[in-house]
Amino acid sequence: MTARAPTEPSELPALVTAPDARKGHGVALGGGGGYLTAGQATSRPPKGSRGLGAARGFDREKDDFYPTPDALIDPLVARHRRWLDGGVWEPACGDGAICKALQRHGVASVGTDLVARGYGWSRRDFLMELKPPADVDAIVTNPPFRLWREFAEHALGMDVGFVALLGRLQLLEGKRVSALFQETQLTSVMVSAGRVNMLPVVDGVKAADKGHNGMIAWAWFVWVRRRAVHDRPAIEWFTPEKAVRS
């Protein structure tokens, strides 16, 4: 596959402020899920790998696309709303889960993704972007697991004041990722005090939730960059809502 040239800032979509979310209006420009970079878009999981759905009978989604449940998004907004009001970029927007939740909370956002899933601006490789969209001061996303560290490094290289990445709690014990956390002054870790199913979407259809508890412990890894230097990251907990939104 031919490598793509880095994207110039002028080519990025502008931030769109959603109208009154209670009326169900607004332009679909964001979401939640994951994608692979241009160099890995055709890759497949290792043979025998079943990923997040292993214990629930689902095969691993080939592009690591697992829409982010509201139960994981709402607590982040409640805790860090002040840092989101400057506009949010969701660079792995998938089918729109994260930005739809942000819109519901009245937070303006723009979403991009390499893979077209009917929401946001497609064919945008986040790891090739040079600058964030105009009028954006935060990056919030659920990166593809296989590229989590690369997403973190690239997001932290952007000129934004707030970065929040959803990931597995076990990232804390990874040698390279833990070194990244220490070197970049991670602000806090928001740990989900309850397991949440993150279900794959295959051929446009979301897998049925069979009611089993999720096997993965999730956490938000947060960097608040427009604040005084701190000594060590804080650990916080939140209890995910189990109610299913219509």
Side-chain angles (χ1 to χ4, degrees):
M1 180 176 291
T2 303
R4 296 169 56 196
T7 303
E8 292 298 328
S10 60
E11 298 175 2
L12 282 167
L15 180 73
V16 174
T17 303
D20 190 345
R22 294 170 298 177
K23 299 179 181 179
H25 299 309
V27 181
L29 288 178
Y35 65 78
L36 301 183
T37 62
Q40 300 187 26
T42 58
S43 66
R44 295 293 184 270
K47 186 175 181 180
S49 171
R50 302 189 65 195
L52 302 182
R56 302 191 301 280
F58 307 124
D59 288 331
R60 180 171 181 168
E61 209 282 331
K62 71 180 182 66
D63 291 323
D64 276 355
F65 173 51
Y66 299 87
T68 309
D70 286 351
L72 294 176
I73 306 168
D74 291 345
L76 177 76
V77 178
R79 175 66 180 84
H80 292 291
R81 173 61 185 265
R82 61 177 294 196
W83 305 108
L84 304 177
D85 283 340
V88 176
W89 183 14
E90 215 293 42
C93 69
D95 67 351
I98 287 179
C99 280
K100 287 177 182 177
L102 292 174
Q103 177 180 320
R104 179 163 45 80
H105 288 283
V107 176
S109 64
V110 60
T112 59
D113 204 318
L114 181 62
V115 179
R117 300 191 187 277
Y119 203 87
W121 298 76
S122 62
R123 306 303 299 173
R124 308 296 308 203
D125 187 338
F126 175 58
L127 299 184
M128 298 295 287
E129 304 283 10
L130 297 178
K131 292 184 179 181
D135 301 320
V136 160
D137 195 41
I139 293 176
V140 176
T141 192
N142 172 12
F145 182 69
R146 285 172 287 180
L147 293 173
W148 202 96
R149 181 176 58 83
E150 289 85 344
F151 261 64
E153 291 174 341
H154 200 64
L156 293 170
M158 293 285 179
D159 183 20
V160 294
F162 180 87
V163 174
L165 305 181
L166 184 66
R168 304 182 188 201
L169 184 59
Q170 72 185 81
L171 286 166
L172 288 172
E173 65 185 14
K175 183 176 181 180
R176 297 179 69 185
V177 177
S178 62
L180 173 70
F181 291 152
Q182 296 175 67
E183 293 166 2
T184 57
Q185 298 183 332
L186 178 70
T187 303
S188 66
V189 180
M190 290 183 59
V191 182
S192 175
R195 300 295 173 88
V196 177
N197 288 339
M198 194 171 295
L199 304 171
V201 175
V202 181
D203 296 328
V205 179
K206 188 173 183 178
D209 192 337
K210 300 179 181 180
H212 301 295
N213 290 330
M215 299 297 292
I216 306 299
W218 298 106
W220 285 101
F221 298 86
V222 177
W223 291 261
V224 180
R225 310 172 77 189
R226 310 221 191 280
R227 56 176 290 177
V229 176
H230 54 280
D231 292 330
R232 52 180 61 90
I235 305 296
E236 306 173 89
W237 288 265
F238 66 89
T239 302
E241 276 287 344
K242 294 188 179 297
V244 178
R245 296 182 184 279
S246 59

